[in-house]
Structure formats: C-alpha cells, structure tokens
Amino acid sequence: MRIAIDIDSTLHHYWDQFRLVAQELHGVDLSYEGQTTWGITRLEHEQAAACVARTHEADIVAGGVPYPHAVETVSGWHADGHFIHITSHRHPDAHDATVAWLDAIGLRYDELYCSYDKIARCREIKIDLLIDDSPDNLQRALEEGIAGATITHPWNADVLAREPGIVAAADWPGLAAALAPRLARAA
C-alpha cells in the first residue's frame, strides 16, 4: 500500500509548539481544547502565518517529540513493504530541517514532500491512504478516491462526524489497530 503521512499534529503534537510561538509573538494563548475549527480565529491571517513560519524553523522542528508509537508504527509499515510518503504543508525551505528531524527520530520512509498542495502530490504518486489531521485534506482525499485516516483532534471532529469512512483513533496504537485489516489486505 502507498501511504502518505502528515507531520504536524499527526506524527507529533504540533499544537504545543504553535501555542508557545503564538504566545511569544502575539501574546495570545491558544488552548488545544478550544481549537474546534481548522481556522485559527484568535489570530489575524498574517499572525498565524508568522507562527507557522517560526514553528517550521530548524530549532523548533528539531524539538518535535513524536507521539508515542508513531515512529515504531510507521517504520513497521515500511519494513512490511508499504511505501511511506511523508507529506507536509511546511514551506520547501523547511525540507532539510525536516529530513534531519525524521532521521533523528529514526522514522523509516521513502519520500518527503513539503508543499501546500498535498493532495495533488498524493494523486501524482498514486497514494492509497492519507493520514492527516486537516479536515480539508481528509475531505479532498476522499473526493479523489484516497482513503483517509487521522488522529482525532478538536478541529477535525466535524469531518469525522460527516465522513464515517475516515479511520480515526485517539492515538497511534489505536490507529495502527484500526488500519491493520486494510494494510494486511494490501500486503
């Protein structure tokens, strides 16, 4: 199976990094639990963009702590012969820092792609399954015939309620268990 996996809020808890930067740069505290939509309404667009840019600088990228069992799960899928495409909305300038982070955490993968349009790349390389936290990306993937899966977050609850075909779990062990039958069929 060809699997695309997002990074921020999928492989690691990005919200803590974003929240700290929003506090530092703009004096705004953004609670995880209060972020019930994909848009960040407590920041102006330019402020949110500045926070994203700062969190994708090398020093902060290097500090990302993977969710428990994320690295082992993804690396196990890779060892089982699944193609692993790491995909991120990170600016291409963050590519090298992201490679360094993936190497440092020991995640096994085949390709890293940093670009805003993940779905176009997934279509191009014939991805079967997208694991992402973005409700927009999950919805677009389904529209393109790509299966979707996610770690549940307050901001993707709406799409999960609307789209019962998206596989969702609270953590990586749960996601691995939920996806196991699908991955076994593809092996």
Side-chain angles (χ1 to χ4, degrees):
M1 178 171 280
R2 299 178 66 79
I3 307 168
I5 304 171
D6 175 48
I7 299 172
D8 298 328
S9 296
T10 300
L11 287 176
H12 76 101
H13 192 61
Y14 173 72
W15 193 260
D16 288 347
Q17 292 175 322
F18 190 86
R19 183 179 188 177
L20 285 173
V21 169
Q23 183 71 41
E24 288 173 13
L25 295 181
H26 308 294
V28 176
D29 185 29
L30 301 170
S31 77
Y32 172 78
E33 296 78 13
Q35 190 58 43
T36 58
T37 65
W38 184 241
I40 300 170
T41 58
R42 296 200 51 223
L43 295 175
E44 297 295 325
H45 176 75
E46 296 79 19
Q47 291 175 314
C51 291
V52 169
R54 175 68 184 109
T55 59
H56 292 161
E57 290 177 10
D59 62 319
I60 294 183
V61 167
V65 177
Y67 284 125
H69 305 287
V71 172
E72 298 85 353
T73 299
V74 174
S75 294
W77 292 341
H78 186 269
D80 289 343
H82 300 288
F83 177 85
I84 304 296
H85 168 72
I86 303 299
T87 184
S88 178
H89 279 162
R90 293 178 179 185
H91 190 277
D93 290 347
H95 183 273
D96 292 348
T98 303
V99 167
W101 179 73
L102 292 168
D103 290 347
I105 65 171
L107 191 123
R108 308 249 340 257
Y109 64 99
D110 296 290
E111 177 181 87
L112 167 65
Y113 188 71
C114 295
S115 170
Y116 189 72
D117 194 350
K118 294 178 186 180
I119 304 306
R121 180 68 178 158
C122 287
R123 238 187 2 251
E124 179 183 331
I125 63 171
K126 299 181 179 10
I127 291 297
D128 301 304
L129 170 67
L130 171 66
I131 303 173
D132 199 305
D133 69 299
S134 163
D136 296 340
N137 287 336
L138 291 167
Q139 184 69 51
R140 284 187 59 215
L142 292 177
E143 291 166 3
E144 294 291 335
I146 300 168
T150 191
I151 299 295
T152 56
H153 294 287
W155 56 84
N156 62 22
D158 284 351
V159 75
L160 297 177
R162 286 191 322 271
E163 297 292 348
I166 297 172
V167 175
D171 55 24
W172 271 93
L175 193 60
L179 290 172
R182 180 176 294 195
L183 296 177
R185 284 192 305 268

